[in-house]
Structure formats: C-alpha cells, structure tokens
Amino acid sequence: KAGVTQTPRYLIKTRGQQVTLSCSPISGHRSVSWYQQTPGQGLQFLFEYFSETQRNKGNFPGRFSGRQFSNSRSEMNVSTLELGDSALYLCASSRGAREGSPLHFGNGTRLTVT
Amino acid sequence: SQQGEEDPQALSIQEGENATMNCSYKTSINNLQWYRQNSGRGLVHLILIRSNEREKHSGRLRVTLDTSKKSSSLLITASRAADTASYFCATDGGGGADGLTFGKGTHLIIQP
C-alpha cells in the first residue's frame, strides 16, 4: 500500500509570494491533517479535512488555507509568505475516526522563504 | 501551544542499553500516542495508549500512562543504532479539536 505522498519535497519562495502544497493520502483514508514543524515551535496543528470539509482548525492566520478533493487528496495554500513561514509542512492521513486513529505522515515539504 | 513536554530533550546511550523517555501533559486526554521521526522525514506512529489503559507493549516498546500524574513513559529495550531518531508524544483531547498536540520531542542517539 502506498504511503502518504507530499509534493514538492523542497520549495524556495520569496516573501510576499504564495505557495500551494499537495498531499495524497493513503488509499481509503478520508481524513487529512496538516502540521507545521519548526525548530522553535515544534509541531503545530494547522487544520484537518474529512470528506472535503474542514473539521478542525489550529491557531494560524487566515493566510493559511486548505481544501480537500473528492478523492481525499488535499492541498494547502499559504498566501503573502513571510520569513517565519519557513518550515517543514507535514501532511498526515488517517481513516478518520474521531478518536484513536493513528496518523500516517508523509515526508513533508520543506519550505524556505527568502 | 505545546501540551506534551518530553524529558529529556536529548539522550545518548550505548547500543544494547535501554532508553526511557518521559512525557508530561496538562489537560485531560482520550489517548496518548508516541511517534518517531528520523532526520528530515515524516513521523512514524509507534504506539497508542488509551486513557483507561496503564501499560502497553509492542515489540521492544513499552509505554506506561499515569493519568493521575498526567505523564507517560516510553521504554525502548535492547536499543539498536536504527533507533536513533527523535521521539514525540502526542495527546488527543477527544472530539478531534485542535488535532493532536505534540511535545517538542526527545532526540535519542544510539552509540554503536
């Protein structure tokens, strides 16, 4: 069974630009979550999508948005990039049960904002 | 904000020794999970323990949970060089709200 696939693997952008990251979950998984990982703040929850609907959202500004398609693939978008957005962005999928579903992570997209 | 706090932040031991990592959290939970992350890669789920469980085993892993102290420990027995990684505890407060809350991790180094 193929794992969670995130593209691109690396990305370099300039302040003010916008970026779209893509995530393909494990087949049969309906929930996709996004996390931001930085050395200073660690892993922080961005949002979760289930059956094309945003189910939960973390404490991030509106510049961070996402969506999920009918095939469960998900994208996240960051507009008006800031230097502080440089991070490893991790996508994780699960079967979607409310409690106790282990997350399966992709290898992430490393975003560098210059 | 981080709910889980792992201790120690870094741990270096010899191959074959046991490694113990601790995690403390602040609010009530439905379950607690442990993940491993190799450098620059995604996290791998290791084990989940529910709030009504006190101990769980999986291969060389043993996890304990003390909800009265809001703490958990992860024991890796007979460590191997391949166990070198960062280990994170993650708490699930239930209802899916705020996703999983991760600690900042313990970086484990196994010396050959």
Side-chain angles (χ1 to χ4, degrees):
Chain A
K1 208 175 203 182
V4 177
T5 303
Q6 290 188 247
T7 57
R9 188 80 173 87
Y10 300 93
L11 207 48
I12 300 174
K13 289 285 188 179
T14 304
R15 266 182 306 176
Q17 289 186 316
Q18 67 93 27
V19 66
T20 299
L21 312 181
S22 180
C23 173
S24 293
I26 291 172
S27 177
H29 285 191
R30 296 168 65 190
S31 169
V32 174
S33 301
W34 290 89
Y35 288 81
Q36 181 196 65
Q37 186 176 29
T38 59
Q41 297 298 316
L43 282 149
Q44 293 189 290
F45 173 70
L46 281 157
F47 28 66
E48 181 204 0
Y49 286 87
F50 180 81
S51 294
E52 302 179 64
T53 301
Q54 186 179 86
R55 190 156 70 173
N56 293 294
K57 189 177 191 306
N59 189 25
F60 276 82
R63 300 186 297 106
F64 291 81
S65 63
R67 58 177 175 169
Q68 186 180 33
F69 302 96
S70 58
N71 61 359
S72 292
R73 192 177 69 84
S74 177
E75 289 181 346
M76 70 162 279
N77 184 77
V78 188
S79 62
T80 319
L81 284 166
E82 300 177 0
L83 295 179
D85 297 334
S86 294
L88 180 66
Y89 289 88
L90 293 164
C91 165
S93 73
S94 72
R95 294 191 181 282
R98 277 284 180 172
E99 296 171 6
S101 283
L103 298 183
H104 300 262
F105 283 83
N107 284 328
T109 292
R110 183 163 297 281
L111 172 65
T112 302
V113 182
T114 62
Chain B
S1 63
Q2 302 295 325
Q3 156 139 262
E5 293 287 337
E6 287 91 343
D7 171 58
Q9 289 188 329
L11 178 62
S12 180
I13 60 174
Q14 295 294 124
E15 196 167 18
E17 294 181 338
N18 296 341
T20 299
M21 288 159 271
N22 302 296
C23 168
S24 60
Y25 57 92
K26 296 173 185 171
T27 62
S28 62
I29 61 171
N30 280 337
N31 66 72
L32 185 145
Q33 304 178 34
W34 285 90
Y35 288 81
R36 184 188 76 229
Q37 183 179 35
N38 291 88
S39 180
R41 301 182 71 83
L43 283 77
V44 175
H45 179 261
L46 296 176
I47 197 165
L48 180 153
I49 186 165
R50 300 190 187 282
S51 59
N52 61 354
E53 297 175 309
R54 291 297 167 256
E55 187 171 311
K56 204 160 182 182
H57 297 254
S58 177
R60 294 183 296 113
L61 305 180
R62 172 179 168 251
V63 168
T64 62
L65 179 64
D66 187 335
T67 53
S68 67
K69 294 181 180 178
K70 291 187 170 56
S71 67
S72 173
S73 67
L74 171 67
L75 168 68
I76 303 175
T77 59
S79 63
R80 305 167 181 169
D83 295 329
T84 294
S86 291
Y87 291 81
F88 296 88
C89 68
T91 53
D92 184 347
D98 299 333
L100 288 181
T101 303
F102 285 85
K104 292 203 171 183
T106 292
H107 185 53
L108 175 65
I109 298 171
I110 309 298
Q111 307 278 4

